[in-house]
């Protein structure tokens, strides 16, 4: 998500590479609170400390910032799910504050597949991967959600278009909550299934 000093990271507002730490690599250098996330080999065998490991209670937290008030943006993440908890819905990236309808957005894992969601402050809208690509096969998958003000939000898995939301996103979303990676907000509130 973000503006950085080279072409690859240009215009990013947040970039966490998990290369042994959870530092924001974007030009904005958001402070990142690490709540139990550890670093493991990217392929579970070699290249030590090349991936963040979330055990279900661990997460990263970035304080709410005007940079997260957006109209046209993309969220991407590389995801590999291990274990047997495939029925649970878990947020991958979310800025949900909890407690009623508040504007927010994110990507999540719904059972075994990827999903996208946003709330315009009135109604939560979302969609899950209609192609059925399992994120729980212990392989790495690229999940991307494209949010455009006034347009349906689109979900991609491994560069393939999978689904779009039925409603159109408002012109911009102004979240009130902090941004979380690995959980659905302060109350782990994003447990809705689509």
């Amino acid at each position: 998500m973000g503006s950085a000093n080279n072409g690859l990271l240009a215009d990013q507002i947040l970039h966490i590479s998990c290369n042994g730490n959870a530092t924001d690599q974007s030009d904005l250098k958001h402070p990142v609170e690490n709540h139990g996330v550890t670093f493991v080999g990217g392929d579970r065998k070699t290249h030590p400390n090349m991936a963040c490991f979330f055990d279900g209670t661990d997460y990263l937290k970035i304080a709410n910032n005007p940079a997260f008030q957006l109209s046209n943006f993309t969220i991407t993440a590389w995801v590999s799910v291990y274990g047997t908890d495939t029925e649970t819905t878990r947020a991958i990236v979310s800025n949900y504050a909890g407690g009623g309808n508040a504007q927010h957005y994110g990507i999540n894992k719904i059972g075994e597949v990827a999903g996208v969601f946003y709330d315009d402050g009135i109604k939560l809208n979302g969609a899950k991967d209609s192609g059925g690509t399992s994120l729980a096969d212990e392989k790495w998958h690229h999940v991307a959600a494209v949010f455009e003000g006034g347009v349906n939000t689109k979900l991609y898995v491994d560069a393939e278009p999978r689904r779009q939301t039925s409603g159109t996103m408002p012109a911009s979303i102004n979240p009130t909550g902090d941004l979380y990676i690995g959980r659905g907000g302060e109350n782990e509130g994003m447990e809705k299934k689509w």
Side-chain angles (χ1 to χ4, degrees):
M1 226 176 122
S3 175
N5 50 18
N6 66 50
L8 180 64
L9 302 180
D11 298 324
Q12 291 191 346
I13 59 170
L14 180 67
H15 179 96
I16 298 175
S17 62
C18 290
N19 289 337
N21 63 61
T23 304
D24 176 18
Q25 302 296 310
S26 79
D27 282 346
L28 300 178
K29 304 292 184 209
H30 296 282
V32 179
E33 294 178 25
N34 184 341
H35 293 264
V37 174
T38 57
F39 304 94
V40 297
D43 60 7
R44 309 276 298 185
K45 295 177 184 172
T46 58
H47 304 102
N49 300 326
M50 294 296 290
C52 289
F53 179 75
F54 300 85
D55 73 357
T57 58
D58 304 334
Y59 61 94
L60 301 176
K61 178 180 176 182
I62 301 94
N64 192 17
N65 187 288
F68 302 144
Q69 299 174 2
L70 301 164
S71 56
N72 299 312
F73 61 101
T74 300
I75 298 175
T76 67
W78 283 97
V79 179
S80 179
V81 178
Y82 289 78
T84 58
D85 186 20
T86 57
E87 295 302 315
T88 304
T89 298
R90 295 280 184 203
I92 298 168
V93 177
S94 169
N95 61 358
Y96 181 62
N101 286 341
Q103 291 191 344
H104 60 276
Y105 51 80
I107 55 177
N108 57 1
K109 176 189 79 72
I110 304 168
E112 292 187 17
V113 300
V116 59
F117 60 89
Y118 69 85
D119 193 323
D120 60 8
I122 299 170
K123 180 183 177 192
L124 185 64
N125 197 326
K128 70 178 183 176
D129 178 1
S130 59
T133 300
S134 174
L135 302 180
D137 61 1
E138 298 186 9
K139 297 178 182 175
W140 286 100
H141 297 279
H142 188 257
V143 178
V146 178
F147 297 80
E148 296 177 84
V151 179
N152 294 22
T153 300
K154 297 168 183 65
L155 175 69
Y156 297 82
V157 178
D158 297 331
E160 296 289 328
R162 292 300 188 184
R163 191 78 184 270
Q164 65 183 23
T165 58
S166 58
T168 57
M169 198 183 94
S172 65
I173 292 186
N174 302 301
T176 58
D178 297 324
L179 186 73
Y180 291 86
I181 300 172
R183 77 181 288 165
E186 291 178 26
N187 303 317
E188 187 55 59
M190 286 307 304
E191 296 298 324
K192 180 159 182 155
K193 296 184 180 181
W194 305 105

